[in-house]
Amino acid sequence: MFNKKKPNAEAIIKLKNLFIKKFKLTESTILNVAELNCHEPGCPPTETVITARTNNKLTEIWRIHKPIEEILESDINSID
């Protein structure tokens, strides 16, 4: 009915590993990756949202204005 394309599982794993390396996340940190499409004026057509939740209830959210499969290591390294 919706014919929604699922992101490549390997690309998601690679993205998670790059975030773990860049931000020195522990094994207990939960990482969620979501690819969102926007049809509203002024927003990027596709955005990837990465959420990290730690055991001590801290949450960090990063947004990259690209589909998951187009994100490069340099995109992640440019995040503060």
Side-chain angles (χ1 to χ4, degrees):
M1 179 172 162
F2 291 102
N3 295 329
K4 185 171 179 176
K5 177 184 101 73
K6 290 189 176 192
N8 179 323
E10 288 179 26
I12 294 171
I13 291 168
K14 178 183 174 188
L15 181 61
K16 286 183 174 185
N17 286 333
L18 290 171
F19 266 84
I20 290 167
K21 178 182 169 187
K22 162 78 174 168
F23 296 102
K24 297 176 177 61
L25 303 175
T26 65
E27 287 184 21
S28 62
T29 300
I30 298 171
L31 273 177
N32 292 312
V33 176
E35 187 175 279
L36 307 173
N37 295 311
C38 180
H39 304 287
E40 299 294 322
C43 71
T46 303
E47 171 180 70
T48 299
V49 179
I50 302 94
T51 306
R53 290 184 178 84
T54 64
N55 278 345
N56 55 1
K57 311 266 191 250
L58 294 176
T59 301
E60 183 79 34
I61 299 172
W62 301 276
R63 297 175 185 278
I64 300 173
H65 296 187
K66 291 183 176 182
I68 293 168
E69 294 182 11
E70 292 179 16
I71 296 173
L72 304 173
E73 187 171 359
S74 60
D75 296 318
I76 297 164
N77 288 335
S78 68
I79 298 172
D80 293 329

